[in-house]
Amino acid sequence: MDLQLKKIRNLRGLSQDEMAKALGIKTSRYGTWERGERAMSFSQAIACSEILGCSLDELAGRQVGASFSDSGQAALNGYYESMNSQGRETLVQTARLMSGSPDTRIEKDRPEAVRVQEAM
């Protein structure tokens, strides 16, 4: 397990002293967790994740991907994840534009007049 305690703590702008105080433990004990010298209990890990505002998976360094039942949705998510911020923004804007078009909407969301007109 690649514990990300120090990395996440630093990202949140907290000191070891602040974390230890929030957990109700000595700073030296907390430091042993960050250095991997001592393991924390499950309840202590939960407390750390709550203080740091992260999941236990993030704290443990696990890369957990989302699962999608639709392969197209999985592909779109993969594209999004592989893009820089400009690419992500463009993809989201494109999807937003497409979702407003009656030609790309789910049938039940389309106005009745459009369905009748297409049937003729």
Side-chain angles (χ1 to χ4, degrees):
M1 178 169 68
D2 187 19
L3 194 62
Q4 300 294 302
L5 196 53
K6 182 177 181 178
K7 177 183 174 185
I8 297 171
R9 175 183 58 79
N10 284 330
L11 286 171
R12 301 298 188 264
L14 296 170
S15 69
Q16 283 190 349
D17 288 334
E18 291 169 320
M19 280 295 295
K21 185 176 181 179
L23 292 162
I25 62 172
K26 293 182 179 181
T27 304
S28 58
R29 163 70 59 105
Y30 178 81
T32 63
W33 295 347
E34 280 196 0
R35 292 187 299 275
E37 297 169 359
R38 188 171 218 173
M40 65 177 74
S41 70
F42 184 67
S43 62
Q44 290 166 328
I46 290 171
C48 285
S49 71
E50 289 174 350
I51 292 165
L52 295 170
C54 66
S55 69
L56 288 172
D57 285 326
E58 290 171 297
L59 191 62
R62 290 186 66 217
Q63 297 294 325
V64 179
S67 72
F68 301 98
S69 58
D70 182 285
S71 62
Q73 187 175 2
L76 278 173
N77 189 66
Y79 298 141
Y80 180 88
E81 293 294 329
S82 69
M83 294 178 177
N84 62 23
S85 60
Q86 183 180 357
R88 288 177 175 186
E89 186 178 322
T90 301
L91 183 60
V92 169
Q93 287 175 352
T94 302
R96 189 175 292 124
L97 288 171
M98 290 180 70
S99 71
S101 169
D103 294 332
T104 58
R105 300 289 304 263
I106 296 173
E107 185 69 25
K108 67 180 174 118
D109 292 340
R110 296 173 72 185
E112 185 66 31
V114 173
R115 281 185 261 160
V116 172
Q117 188 177 19
E118 287 178 353
M120 293 179 173

